[in-house]
């Protein structure tokens, strides 16, 4: 997503001198049976897994096959977009995706997150009046939309569930703010308990204003980090788990005009990898769990050469051995080896993603498959991950209308 000098006006945004970017970022068996039934054209895609493990191979004849749910996000307001949240399934041995049904009545679900219990999925509503929606998923394959709550901002582009399961955190790209909602026992959402707008520092060059692009809890559970593309800043907050309020405790400044977009923590909890959308870099950041302070290092190459690569999202394998980065400009994936316990990255190579405009990546729970949601080609591509972290394309791209998010369930 690119910053704009104008107020948020829906899924299409642009920045001066840049091309328009489409807008904002116990459930198993029965769901899969139902998911295989309807609306193949409306289903989205499955994320692939990455790790230092052998690439998936075809299962032997008559061998038992395991499938898992795959939840897909799209834009319902965009031409050619989906009709809601897609439900598909993926084969854990081959990575093959099976289309399924669609959860309707959810507007612009461009980013998804799963509750720690596995029984509820949350979706943003990326539109002028930003909102978050809760959907209960039942083991028999049925679902129930539990309702939506306004976030108090515009262009809600990202959300995550606090590890306690009691709070939903969301980021509003258009208004540059972050919000907190309580989560009830049944997974439904209560009225917003806090809203914080990033009023300082001033926006970066040509970035028009604050643009909160991600909000996530650090592995220590004690701090919440918000990445703002417009102010070139990562804000660290303490979350009051009784009141659901945020108090800023630290902020990290990135290079002016770098446009930080998404970060992912190394499993060790002491380092994070931050994709900067506007200067085409990946930044290794040191993290102090005691204070919540994030310390960015120098920007590192994406391996994509000259020109704008618009990196969108990094992911790290469960064993912490490899990091992958999606590059939308050249439509590629960059592979890095993790060294020095997470403190350093070594660029290994790039491979074609097999689609157009990889908006989001996801690893399967065991990091054996990597899935890429390709927005402009309306496909999801799947890769097996080899022992050396190498990526091998698996099967043909899966048709998924305006695929912008893929969430593989455990």
């Amino acid at each position: 997503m690119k910053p704009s000098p104008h107020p948020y006006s829906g899924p299409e945004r642009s920045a001066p001198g840049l091309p328009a970017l489409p807008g904002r970022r116990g459930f198993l068996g029965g769901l899969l049976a139902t998911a295989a039934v309807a609306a193949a054209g409306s289903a989205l895609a499955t994320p692939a897994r990455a790790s230092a493990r052998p690439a998936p191979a075809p299962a032997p004849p008559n061998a038992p096959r395991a499938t898992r749910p795959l939840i897909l996000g799209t834009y319902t307001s965009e031409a050619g977009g989906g009709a809601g949240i897609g439900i598909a399934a993926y084969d854990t041995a081959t990575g093959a995706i099976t289309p399924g049904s669609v959860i309707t009545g959810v507007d612009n679900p461009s980013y998804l997150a799963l509750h720690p219990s596995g029984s509820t999925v949350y979706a943003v509503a990326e539109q002028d009046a930003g909102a978050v929606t809760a959907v209960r998923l039942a083991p028999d394959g049925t679902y129930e939309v539990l309702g939506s709550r306004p976030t108090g901002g515009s262009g809600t582009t990202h959300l995550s569930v606090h590890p306690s399961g009691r709070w939903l955190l969301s980021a509003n790209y258009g208004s540059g703010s972050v919000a907190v909602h309580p989560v009830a026992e049944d997974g439904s959402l209560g009225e917003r308990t806090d809203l914080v707008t990033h009023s300082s520092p001033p926006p970066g060059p040509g970035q028009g204003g604050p643009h909160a692009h991600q909000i996530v809890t650090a592995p220590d559970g004690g701090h919440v980090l918000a990445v703002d593309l417009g102010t070139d800043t990562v804000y660290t907050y303490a979350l009051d788990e009784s009141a659901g309020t945020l108090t800023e405790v630290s902020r990290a400044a990135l290079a002016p005009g770098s446009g930080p977009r998404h970060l992912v923590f190394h499993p060790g909890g002491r380092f994070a990898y931050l994709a900067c959308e506007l200067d085409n870099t990946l930044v290794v950041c040191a993290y102090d769990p005691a204070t919540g302070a994030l310390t960015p290092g120098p920007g590192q190459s994406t391996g994509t050469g000259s020109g704008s690569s618009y990196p969108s999202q990094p992911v790290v394998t469960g064993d912490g051995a490899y990091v992958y980065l999606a590059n939308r400009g050249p439509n590629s994936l960059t592979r890095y080896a993790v060294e020095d316990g997470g403190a350093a990255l070594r660029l290994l190579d790039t491979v074609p993603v097999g689609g157009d405009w990889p908006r989001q990546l996801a690893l399967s729970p065991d990091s054996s498959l990597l899935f890429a949601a390709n927005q402009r080609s309306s496909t999801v591509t799947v890769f097996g991950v080899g022992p050396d972290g190498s990526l091998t394309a698996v099967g043909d791209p899966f048709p998924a209308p305006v695929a912008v998010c893929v969430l593989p369930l455990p």
Side-chain angles (χ1 to χ4, degrees):
M1 163 173 299
K2 294 291 172 235
S4 168
H6 309 293
Y8 178 83
S9 58
E12 202 72 28
R13 291 187 285 276
S14 64
L18 299 178
L21 298 186
R24 287 297 24 105
R25 98 198 237 20
F27 160 106
L28 290 181
L31 175 59
L32 293 174
T34 304
V37 184
S42 298
L44 293 171
T46 348
R49 301 167 260 195
S51 94
R53 299 186 178 189
N62 304 318
R65 303 287 288 275
T67 55
R68 294 292 185 268
L70 183 70
I71 313 299
L72 306 161
T74 184
Y75 287 116
T76 59
S77 64
E78 187 169 317
I85 299 173
I87 300 179
Y90 70 99
D91 188 305
T92 59
T94 68
I97 300 171
T98 303
S101 59
V102 178
I103 300 173
T104 58
V106 184
D107 296 330
N108 289 329
S110 63
Y111 203 88
L112 309 165
L114 183 68
H115 190 276
S117 69
S119 61
T120 309
V121 164
Y122 300 94
V124 302
E126 189 177 337
Q127 53 200 18
D128 286 334
V132 286
T133 300
V135 180
R136 180 189 295 126
L137 306 170
D140 63 0
T142 61
Y143 66 85
E144 179 184 2
V145 178
L146 300 176
S148 300
R149 296 285 186 178
T151 61
S154 64
T156 310
T157 189
H158 186 268
L159 80 176
S160 61
V161 185
H162 188 266
S164 68
R166 298 181 54 239
W167 304 101
L168 183 72
L169 313 166
S170 57
N172 299 306
Y173 179 90
S175 54
S177 59
V178 293
V180 184
H181 288 81
V183 178
E185 289 292 332
D186 66 354
S188 62
L189 299 171
E191 292 290 346
R192 186 179 69 249
T193 54
D194 205 1
L195 179 69
V196 179
T197 299
H198 297 155
S199 57
S200 67
Q207 287 165 235
H211 295 297
H213 212 306
Q214 183 193 31
I215 184 165
V216 64
T217 305
D220 58 86
H223 298 97
V224 171
L225 283 77
V227 180
D228 196 297
L229 188 151
T231 63
D232 297 320
T233 300
V234 179
Y235 303 83
T236 299
Y237 297 98
L239 173 67
D240 185 324
E241 294 190 45
S242 297
T245 54
L246 298 171
T247 301
E248 184 180 331
V249 297
S250 180
R251 62 177 64 174
L254 280 298
S258 58
R261 177 183 173 99
H262 269 245
L263 64 75
V264 62
F265 277 94
H266 184 270
R270 295 283 182 167
F271 300 96
Y273 312 111
L274 176 61
C276 290
E277 175 175 338
L278 301 183
D279 71 357
N280 310 322
T281 60
L282 185 66
V283 177
V284 178
C285 304
Y287 175 72
D288 183 352
T291 64
L294 192 74
T295 305
Q300 300 191 26
S301 170
T302 61
T304 55
S306 60
S308 299
S309 61
Y310 305 123
S312 59
Q313 185 182 17
V315 293
V316 60
T317 55
D319 61 4
Y322 297 97
V323 168
Y324 303 96
L325 178 68
N327 305 294
R328 288 167 294 172
N331 291 322
S332 67
L333 301 172
T334 302
R335 175 175 62 122
Y336 300 89
V338 178
E339 299 179 333
D340 297 334
L345 296 179
R346 178 166 52 89
L347 194 155
L348 297 175
D349 57 17
T350 65
V351 298
V353 74
D356 188 0
W357 212 250
R359 170 72 170 267
Q360 185 250 357
L361 299 179
L363 290 164
S364 59
D366 64 357
S367 289
S368 66
L369 297 169
L370 177 69
F371 293 79
N374 303 300
Q375 181 172 355
R376 292 181 177 173
S377 59
S378 289
T379 58
V380 172
T381 45
V382 186
F383 297 82
V385 181
D388 58 355
S390 59
L391 298 176
T392 303
V394 176
D396 296 324
F398 177 74
V402 189
V404 291
C405 185
V406 58
L407 176 64
L409 301 194

